[in-house]
Amino acid sequence: MVTYAAPLREIRFVLNEVLKADQLSALPGYEEATPDLFDAVLEEAAKLCVNELLPLNLSGDKEGCHYENGVVRTPAGFKEAYTKFIEGGWTSLSCDPDFGGQGMPHLLEFVVQELICSSNISFGMYPGLSHGAYNSLAAHGSDELKQTYLAKIVDGTWSGTMCLTEPHCGTDLGLMRTKAEPRGDGSYSITGTKIFISAGEHDLTENILHLVLAKLPDAPPGIKGISLFLVPKFLPKADGTPGMRNGVMCGSLEHKMGIKANATAVMNFDNAQGWLIGEAHKGMRCMFTMMNAARLGVGMQGLGISETAYQTAVAYAKDRRQMRSLDPKKQDKSAAADPIIVHPDVRRMLMTIRANTEAGRALAYWVGMLLDLSHKHPDPEKRQEADDLVALLTPIVKSYLTDHGFNAANLAVQVHGGHGYIHEYGVEQLVRDARITQIYEGTNGIQALDLVGRKMPQNMGRLMRRFFHPVSAYLETQMENPAMLEFIGPLAKAFGKLQMATATIAQKGFTKPEEAGAAASDYLKLFSLVALGYMWAQMVDVAMKNLDGDEKAFYEAKIVTARFFMQKLLPEHASLFVNIMAGGKVLMELPAEAF
Amino acid sequence: MVTYAAPLREIRFVLNEVLKADQLSALPGYEEATPDLFDAVLEEAAKLCVNELLPLNLSGDKEGCHYENGVVRTPAGFKEAYTKFIEGGWTSLSCDPDFGGQGMPHLLEFVVQELICSSNISFGMYPGLSHGAYNSLAAHGSDELKQTYLAKIVDGTWSGTMCLTEPHCGTDLGLMRTKAEPRGDGSYSITGTKIFISAGEHDLTENILHLVLAKLPDAPPGIKGISLFLVPKFLPKADGTPGMRNGVMCGSLEHKMGIKANATAVMNFDNAQGWLIGEAHKGMRCMFTMMNAARLGVGMQGLGISETAYQTAVAYAKDRRQMRSLDPKKQDKSAAADPIIVHPDVRRMLMTIRANTEAGRALAYWVGMLLDLSHKHPDPEKRQEADDLVALLTPIVKSYLTDHGFNAANLAVQVHGGHGYIHEYGVEQLVRDARITQIYEGTNGIQALDLVGRKMPQNMGRLMRRFFHPVSAYLETQMENPAMLEFIGPLAKAFGKLQMATATIAQKGFTKPEEAGAAASDYLKLFSLVALGYMWAQMVDVAMKNLDGDEKAFYEAKIVTARFFMQKLLPEHASLFVNIMAGGKVLMELPAEAF
């Protein structure tokens, strides 16, 4: 069975000891965001996740969503859980107090998202999508739209969606066919079909607000002619309550590999009334407000699943007895076999999940804190710096943490042997649920192209320097610390390769974009390994200073896990570097018809 | 939708041009096994697979097997397809003519298995398990048992199972509890519960023969006290037809991640009548006859799935249009976007599947041919040599090809983007079906331990030398060929690392078995990369000699794919080597309670 308890000690370690997140409470508007408040909120979030959401995960997967004549019913228990969720104020955590929000930092929202995704990713997507709609509306909507809709999203009684994909266009939104015609009253008629709409239709909220990309009649061709519209399922009455049904219907639900408790809808818009968000033809900009947050949210899904995979695999490995330890001294003679955690290959799998999850958490939370700094820091240069780092690290968090989430789930299955393949154990569900995170909100291949094609050249490499300079400085300082050498040495080596790969790709890509495209996925992985190594170095540094205290075992485990990362995971950088340097010619050599 | 045509040209390339499988027809008993006969058989197999088995794959997954009161019904169409299967003589292909078999080489059986597994792995498991039972019974059964049962398995009217696993023991069969008590008439009463029994109960055959591991009352403890029994579902009457129901019942079916059309049964034996196969307490030896063949069969499942994943991903990548080629010269101005096969990152995925699949096929067929040589070669030293190589390469074929099958299926999903996650496209099913192949018949971790713990030290390293010596000799010869240098150079480098890793593990493992255990998985992967590289070198060699003929494009594609393998896949050896050399200490350092 799936084993999960919120890893609050781990979370506090990253927040308080590594990132020193108490600095947020010095920012204007975040005065209340102290470590004590974080603790109190997370204790409550942990209860909600473990007691309400986790028990619905397997049953929700088994039952799935039900579709009949345009009406969608979520699995048993979801509506009750959602009611508790909004009663607890979880939809409003980081929202603007002007619209009923609690005004908490994004960082706290990130941590809560991790807990939710560890417990029930299908459930988490319903409020998650709403939060994306909130972000976009709050940033780009007119005052009238904000007044009409925001408070309802904040209190969770209404929910939101992102309607981008159409049958013939996913990544390439420029091909879009959905049309918007002005009605003459300031509103628009939206007509078209959108697919893969997560939480597109369901019974959790009294209204659903679709954020829909469409083309106006005078739209320029391609991606520069797309506008964003708000299309409510029910048109609000003058008193703000849901009124007439709008011309948008759910045509069907997809049968999917996983996240079965989340309704993935085909949405048909037939002269549906909608309102423009932001400027005409500038919809992609508004959508990216939503999309960037969503990409980080998907990274948190990967992280959340990897934590559950870890805890579940560890519980099984301590309980299941098969074969004897290869070291006679470790054999438990009181039983006929030893717990499989004695076997080196089982430990290899557990340590792999652990080392990536812990450093992934540190990286993701760091980005969460940077997001807050980018919004609230009084110094505009500091805001820009934080914003640059968030932009740079978003594709890393999205791709690496979701690839890791999927791998972690698969390793947990492998630790379980045949039992991992059986539905009732709940581990194979983690694999199926995790698989989508590598695809949606831009496939991981697209993230890699975003990194090399957009983020790398941006402002003459300014985003890259935001990361490279502090890492260089850090390595230089730590080189003088003999105790840190076993960690700093490998990291410095990998970092050197990353710098060389960066220079090579930047140079080649300048004249031959295909070369950058060919290197993208390997480069993203190389960058990720260095970023995680950088996190591990900082965590070890903290741990070493605390070895004399009450929690010696906790900090010692940090050091061993960091060592594992440096010895067993970071070396992959060498192969990635060779692959990158080999160039892209061999990828493009075969004519398409030879495939 | 899943796209698959039997890759007959690819198969002929490996059989006739690389392996020169016509040498089999020189062996006594295989006189008829000429390339022409192979061709004719494979053409027929291709028709059967594509027309009968492939169309049932998705529907079988959706419908699954039905269980009611001990009775199991396979999905719609399976019984009809099975009838055609046995009418076509496909169960008898490589079986002994004395019992109605066609006496064809194992190699041909391997190829047919690949085609079946590309089409419908759930279906293939029914005759696949029977074939395992055939092997064990043919090798170890008494004449009476053989006379009673073998012809029925050969003609496919009766089927077989392997009953090993119990709820508390999978890998560790020494913990087994199922008991066998002598009845005094030469037969035994078998009592116990077996789980995860593939094809344990179904409606395809009129009788099912369970090969069951159990302990006799006087059994020594552990693995040395296990015996193998034949327990038919129906006791044969004197005329050989099924008679009274035996005391074996299917208690339930598992709900699994994949292979849903194959019935995975809990089997309850309650004083069921059984007959000893082979000697008392020597059941593991008989089981290994079955198990070794089964492990290779599982490798073929991985290979089969990877071929279907490749063809399906390629078809989609040629058809789906999104975005523009990064190279303006390659843009198709007649359409709004280019087929995604123009994108380097998509090609990276396609080429990765292709390069592993083609070399994996060559490796697997080589082992198939070695199996025939080990049985039929007139020279006992040649037989031993072939047998040694089969033993050495079995864990490689099982692990590497199943890991690759799973990765290939996942890459195919990734190429499809969101559509890959939808059931109706059939690609996510490949992922779910492939996942079990990394687990059953000994997890891939167990295969790695088999390689380093058993095969490596066996006969003072004789098995290793059977591979190392010819590779060394081959490299030496080819070094002098300048055209081959770009392939031989990287291979020689990787081979050097493999030799060093082997020496290190052998030395460390001698005093500290945990060190060998810690290195096992990385070592198996390193070995596999070298083995695949060796296959690629041989394939390139053939291709280079045929560039002037009619099929220039075919042979050129071989050379490009080999180049991709050497530049982009083989470099992983460097990281694996570093990991191995780092040793196992870091894996064992944390106390179990710190996890």
Side-chain angles (χ1 to χ4, degrees):
Chain A
M1 305 303 101
V2 162
T3 298
Y4 177 70
L8 296 176
R9 180 67 189 93
E10 294 293 334
I11 291 169
R12 277 194 294 262
F13 171 71
V14 175
L15 291 178
N16 303 335
E17 302 173 58
V18 180
L19 298 178
K20 307 209 180 301
D22 59 345
Q23 65 187 279
L24 290 181
S25 62
L27 300 178
Y30 285 165
E31 294 80 1
E32 290 175 24
T34 60
D36 282 351
L37 186 83
F38 269 50
D39 270 355
V41 170
L42 293 174
E43 295 274 357
E44 285 308 307
K47 278 182 210 159
L48 177 87
C49 290
V50 171
N51 299 335
E52 308 295 336
L53 307 188
L54 188 63
L56 297 178
N57 198 34
L58 188 65
S59 60
D61 177 69
K62 193 172 179 189
E63 184 184 339
C65 290
H66 308 273
Y67 174 88
E68 203 176 345
N69 296 325
V71 177
V72 171
R73 193 158 45 80
T74 53
F78 270 55
K79 198 160 165 47
E80 294 75 9
Y82 186 74
T83 304
K84 287 183 186 163
F85 193 85
I86 62 175
E87 282 172 2
W90 296 105
T91 50
S92 65
L93 196 60
S94 65
C95 295
D96 188 342
D98 285 352
F99 298 97
Q102 300 174 59
M104 283 293 115
H106 292 89
L107 174 56
L108 185 58
E109 178 86 39
F110 267 46
V111 182
V112 172
Q113 274 186 40
E114 182 202 315
L115 304 191
I116 294 171
C117 295
S118 283
S119 309
N120 194 325
I121 150 173
S122 286
F123 180 93
M125 288 172 71
Y126 292 103
L129 268 296
S130 296
H131 198 69
Y134 166 87
N135 284 336
S136 201
L137 200 55
H140 305 284
S142 66
D143 285 343
E144 200 185 334
L145 288 180
K146 289 203 264 191
Q147 286 304 333
T148 311
Y149 294 102
L150 273 189
K152 298 285 196 179
I153 308 187
V154 171
D155 73 17
T157 50
W158 295 9
S159 57
T161 75
M162 294 170 66
C163 297
L164 289 76
T165 305
E166 299 183 7
H168 64 290
C169 75
T171 299
D172 195 353
L173 291 171
L175 304 175
M176 186 165 292
R177 290 179 193 146
T178 297
K179 287 195 160 65
E181 309 244 3
R183 291 191 172 205
D185 62 354
S187 73
Y188 297 82
S189 283
I190 315 291
T191 301
T193 296
K194 296 285 181 178
I195 63 167
F196 299 163
I197 307 309
S198 299
E201 180 60 52
H202 56 80
D203 56 359
L204 301 184
T205 54
E206 56 179 44
N207 203 359
I208 300 176
L209 310 176
H210 302 288
L211 266 63
V212 187
L213 289 181
K215 287 190 165 183
L216 287 162
D218 61 343
I223 200 80
K224 287 175 180 161
I226 290 173
S227 307
L228 182 64
F229 298 88
L230 172 76
V231 180
K233 175 177 168 185
F234 294 103
L235 299 165
K237 290 191 285 197
D239 65 358
T241 59
M244 252 180 52
R245 182 71 195 239
N246 201 355
V248 48
M249 284 289 283
C250 173
S252 62
L253 294 185
E254 304 288 358
H255 305 107
K256 310 184 301 291
M257 184 183 194
I259 51 163
K260 294 192 184 208
N262 196 276
T264 304
V266 174
M267 298 302 301
N268 297 315
F269 296 85
D270 184 10
N271 283 311
Q273 190 170 15
W275 287 266
L276 186 67
I277 297 177
E279 291 174 54
H281 317 317
K282 306 275 185 191
M284 286 309 290
R285 193 188 298 169
C286 310
M287 211 62 195
F288 262 104
T289 304
M290 205 158 158
M291 184 75 95
N292 284 331
R295 287 178 172 178
L296 292 171
V298 174
M300 298 313 286
Q301 293 183 329
L303 178 64
I305 288 176
S306 74
E307 176 65 34
T308 306
Y310 176 73
Q311 292 190 32
T312 303
V314 164
Y316 189 80
K318 287 179 176 176
D319 181 62
R320 174 79 169 176
R321 288 173 180 264
Q322 295 284 284
M323 313 299 285
R324 283 296 181 194
S325 167
L326 294 168
D327 180 349
K329 289 194 301 290
K330 294 178 191 157
Q331 293 172 1
D332 172 8
K333 307 290 186 197
S334 73
D338 295 316
I340 60 173
I341 199 167
V342 303
H343 301 310
D345 197 60
V346 171
R347 283 180 167 246
R348 174 186 62 81
M349 298 191 270
L350 299 178
M351 290 297 288
T352 299
I353 311 180
R354 179 181 181 129
N356 274 322
T357 298
E358 292 191 10
R361 177 177 293 120
L363 181 70
Y365 290 6
W366 182 36
V367 174
M369 193 171 76
L370 288 166
L371 203 57
D372 288 316
L373 293 171
S374 78
H375 290 146
K376 300 274 190 181
H377 200 285
D379 178 349
E381 167 53 22
K382 290 279 180 196
R383 286 205 300 275
Q384 185 64 58
E385 182 189 335
D387 194 57
D388 285 352
L389 273 169
V390 171
L392 177 69
L393 295 173
T394 295
I396 308 275
V397 166
K398 198 281 184 182
S399 284
Y400 193 82
L401 291 192
T402 59
D403 283 348
H404 164 55
F406 182 67
N407 291 339
N410 274 301
L411 288 170
V413 165
Q414 201 68 17
V415 168
H416 280 72
H419 296 94
Y421 202 65
I422 305 299
H423 183 260
E424 284 77 5
Y425 278 76
V427 202
E428 60 89 29
Q429 182 192 348
L430 300 179
V431 174
R432 291 184 289 104
D433 285 355
R435 189 65 188 84
I436 191 60
T437 64
Q438 300 169 293
I439 298 172
Y440 61 16
E441 308 304 346
T443 64
N444 287 359
I446 292 294
Q447 303 300 323
L449 290 175
D450 178 51
L451 180 63
V452 301
R454 200 176 311 199
K455 305 296 165 63
M456 192 190 279
Q458 203 169 312
N459 295 93
M460 307 283 285
R462 190 183 74 203
L463 274 54
M464 307 296 280
R465 289 191 296 277
R466 300 287 195 194
F467 179 79
F468 283 10
H469 287 181
V471 174
S472 283
Y474 181 82
L475 288 172
E476 224 161 288
T477 321
Q478 290 289 354
M479 281 290 188
E480 290 158 26
N481 181 350
M484 284 292 285
L485 206 64
E486 64 166 313
F487 308 99
I488 294 301
L491 178 59
K493 199 171 152 192
F495 182 59
K497 298 280 197 237
L498 176 64
Q499 288 176 302
M500 275 194 270
T502 306
T504 305
I505 293 172
Q507 194 182 8
K508 277 194 193 170
F510 195 69
T511 51
K512 233 178 160 231
E514 275 188 349
E515 281 291 331
S521 282
D522 287 331
Y523 180 77
L524 183 138
K525 202 162 187 193
L526 174 57
F527 200 131
S528 305
L529 285 171
V530 170
L532 263 61
Y534 180 43
M535 295 297 124
W536 266 122
Q538 295 174 70
M539 291 193 283
V540 161
D541 199 10
V542 172
M544 284 188 175
K545 290 171 182 139
N546 285 280
L547 286 175
D548 296 332
D550 296 343
E551 293 184 295
K552 189 169 157 57
F554 176 83
Y555 292 106
E556 272 180 345
K558 289 276 163 287
I559 294 170
V560 174
T561 310
R563 187 173 291 140
F564 174 84
F565 182 86
M566 299 299 170
Q567 290 185 12
K568 298 287 183 179
L569 300 181
L570 189 59
E572 195 185 350
H573 84 265
S575 306
L576 294 167
F577 180 71
V578 172
N579 286 357
I580 292 167
M581 300 311 275
K585 187 160 171 280
V586 76
L587 290 177
M588 309 313 290
E589 217 171 336
L590 273 192
E593 60 274 17
F595 279 85
Chain B
M1 304 304 101
V2 162
T3 298
Y4 176 70
L8 295 176
R9 179 67 189 93
E10 293 293 336
I11 290 168
R12 277 195 292 264
F13 172 71
V14 175
L15 291 178
N16 303 335
E17 303 173 59
V18 181
L19 297 178
K20 308 210 179 300
D22 59 345
Q23 64 187 280
L24 290 181
S25 62
L27 300 179
Y30 285 164
E31 294 80 2
E32 292 175 22
T34 61
D36 282 352
L37 185 83
F38 269 49
D39 270 357
V41 170
L42 292 175
E43 295 275 357
E44 285 307 307
K47 280 183 208 157
L48 177 87
C49 289
V50 170
N51 300 335
E52 308 295 336
L53 307 188
L54 188 63
L56 297 178
N57 198 34
L58 188 64
S59 59
D61 177 68
K62 193 172 176 189
E63 184 185 340
C65 290
H66 308 273
Y67 174 88
E68 204 176 346
N69 295 327
V71 177
V72 171
R73 194 157 45 80
T74 53
F78 270 56
K79 198 161 165 48
E80 293 76 7
Y82 186 76
T83 303
K84 288 183 185 163
F85 193 86
I86 62 175
E87 282 171 3
W90 296 105
T91 49
S92 66
L93 196 60
S94 65
C95 294
D96 188 342
D98 286 351
F99 299 98
Q102 300 174 59
M104 284 292 117
H106 291 91
L107 174 56
L108 185 58
E109 178 85 39
F110 267 46
V111 182
V112 172
Q113 274 187 41
E114 182 202 317
L115 304 190
I116 294 171
C117 295
S118 282
S119 309
N120 195 324
I121 151 174
S122 285
F123 180 93
M125 288 172 71
Y126 292 104
L129 268 296
S130 296
H131 198 68
Y134 166 86
N135 283 337
S136 202
L137 201 53
H140 305 283
S142 65
D143 286 343
E144 198 184 336
L145 289 180
K146 289 202 264 192
Q147 287 304 334
T148 310
Y149 295 103
L150 274 188
K152 298 285 194 178
I153 308 187
V154 171
D155 73 17
T157 50
W158 295 9
S159 57
T161 74
M162 293 170 67
C163 298
L164 290 74
T165 305
E166 300 183 8
H168 65 289
C169 75
T171 300
D172 195 354
L173 291 171
L175 304 175
M176 184 164 294
R177 290 180 194 146
T178 297
K179 287 195 160 63
E181 310 245 3
R183 291 190 174 206
D185 62 354
S187 74
Y188 298 82
S189 283
I190 315 290
T191 301
T193 296
K194 296 286 181 177
I195 63 167
F196 298 164
I197 307 309
S198 298
E201 179 59 53
H202 57 80
D203 57 357
L204 301 183
T205 54
E206 55 179 43
N207 202 359
I208 301 175
L209 310 176
H210 302 287
L211 267 62
V212 187
L213 290 181
K215 287 192 166 182
L216 287 163
D218 61 341
I223 200 78
K224 288 176 181 159
I226 291 173
S227 308
L228 182 64
F229 298 88
L230 172 77
V231 180
K233 176 177 167 187
F234 294 101
L235 299 167
K237 289 191 286 196
D239 66 357
T241 59
M244 249 181 52
R245 182 70 194 240
N246 202 354
V248 49
M249 285 288 284
C250 173
S252 61
L253 294 185
E254 304 288 356
H255 305 106
K256 310 184 300 291
M257 184 184 194
I259 52 164
K260 293 190 186 208
N262 196 276
T264 305
V266 174
M267 298 303 299
N268 297 317
F269 295 84
D270 184 10
N271 282 309
Q273 191 171 15
W275 286 267
L276 187 67
I277 298 177
E279 289 174 55
H281 317 316
K282 306 275 183 188
M284 287 309 291
R285 193 188 297 169
C286 310
M287 212 62 196
F288 262 104
T289 304
M290 203 158 161
M291 183 75 94
N292 284 331
R295 286 179 172 177
L296 293 170
V298 174
M300 298 313 287
Q301 293 183 328
L303 178 65
I305 288 177
S306 74
E307 176 65 35
T308 306
Y310 176 73
Q311 292 190 33
T312 303
V314 164
Y316 189 82
K318 286 179 176 176
D319 180 63
R320 175 79 170 175
R321 287 172 180 266
Q322 295 284 284
M323 313 299 285
R324 284 295 182 196
S325 168
L326 293 168
D327 180 349
K329 289 193 300 292
K330 294 178 191 158
Q331 294 173 2
D332 171 9
K333 308 289 188 201
S334 74
D338 295 317
I340 62 173
I341 201 168
V342 303
H343 302 311
D345 197 60
V346 171
R347 282 178 168 249
R348 174 186 63 80
M349 297 190 272
L350 299 178
M351 291 297 289
T352 300
I353 311 180
R354 179 181 179 127
N356 274 322
T357 298
E358 293 190 10
R361 176 178 292 121
L363 181 70
Y365 290 6
W366 182 35
V367 174
M369 193 171 77
L370 288 166
L371 203 55
D372 288 316
L373 293 171
S374 78
H375 289 147
K376 301 273 190 183
H377 201 285
D379 178 349
E381 167 54 22
K382 290 277 181 199
R383 285 205 301 276
Q384 185 64 57
E385 182 188 335
D387 194 57
D388 285 352
L389 274 168
V390 171
L392 178 69
L393 296 173
T394 295
I396 308 275
V397 167
K398 197 282 183 181
S399 283
Y400 194 82
L401 291 191
T402 59
D403 283 348
H404 165 55
F406 182 68
N407 291 339
N410 273 301
L411 288 169
V413 164
Q414 201 68 17
V415 168
H416 280 72
H419 296 94
Y421 202 64
I422 306 297
H423 184 260
E424 284 76 4
Y425 278 76
V427 203
E428 60 90 29
Q429 183 191 348
L430 299 180
V431 174
R432 291 184 289 103
D433 285 354
R435 188 64 187 86
I436 191 60
T437 64
Q438 301 168 294
I439 298 172
Y440 60 17
E441 308 305 345
T443 65
N444 287 0
I446 292 293
Q447 303 299 322
L449 290 175
D450 178 50
L451 179 64
V452 300
R454 200 176 312 199
K455 305 296 165 63
M456 191 189 279
Q458 202 168 313
N459 293 92
M460 306 285 283
R462 189 183 74 203
L463 274 54
M464 306 297 281
R465 289 191 296 276
R466 300 288 195 194
F467 179 79
F468 284 10
H469 287 180
V471 175
S472 281
Y474 181 82
L475 289 170
E476 223 161 289
T477 322
Q478 291 288 355
M479 281 290 187
E480 290 158 25
N481 181 349
M484 285 293 285
L485 205 64
E486 64 166 313
F487 308 98
I488 294 301
L491 178 59
K493 199 171 152 191
F495 182 59
K497 298 279 195 232
L498 176 64
Q499 288 176 303
M500 274 194 273
T502 306
T504 304
I505 293 172
Q507 195 180 7
K508 276 195 195 171
F510 195 69
T511 51
K512 233 179 159 231
E514 275 188 349
E515 281 292 330
S521 282
D522 288 331
Y523 180 79
L524 182 139
K525 203 163 187 191
L526 174 57
F527 200 130
S528 305
L529 285 171
V530 170
L532 263 62
Y534 180 45
M535 295 297 123
W536 267 122
Q538 294 174 71
M539 291 194 283
V540 161
D541 199 11
V542 172
M544 284 189 174
K545 290 171 181 141
N546 286 281
L547 286 174
D548 297 331
D550 297 342
E551 294 185 295
K552 189 169 156 58
F554 176 83
Y555 292 107
E556 272 179 344
K558 288 277 163 284
I559 294 170
V560 174
T561 310
R563 187 173 290 140
F564 174 85
F565 182 86
M566 299 299 171
Q567 289 185 13
K568 299 286 186 181
L569 300 181
L570 189 58
E572 195 185 351
H573 84 263
S575 305
L576 294 167
F577 181 71
V578 173
N579 286 357
I580 291 167
M581 300 311 275
K585 187 160 171 280
V586 76
L587 290 177
M588 310 312 291
E589 217 171 335
L590 272 192
E593 59 275 16
F595 278 85

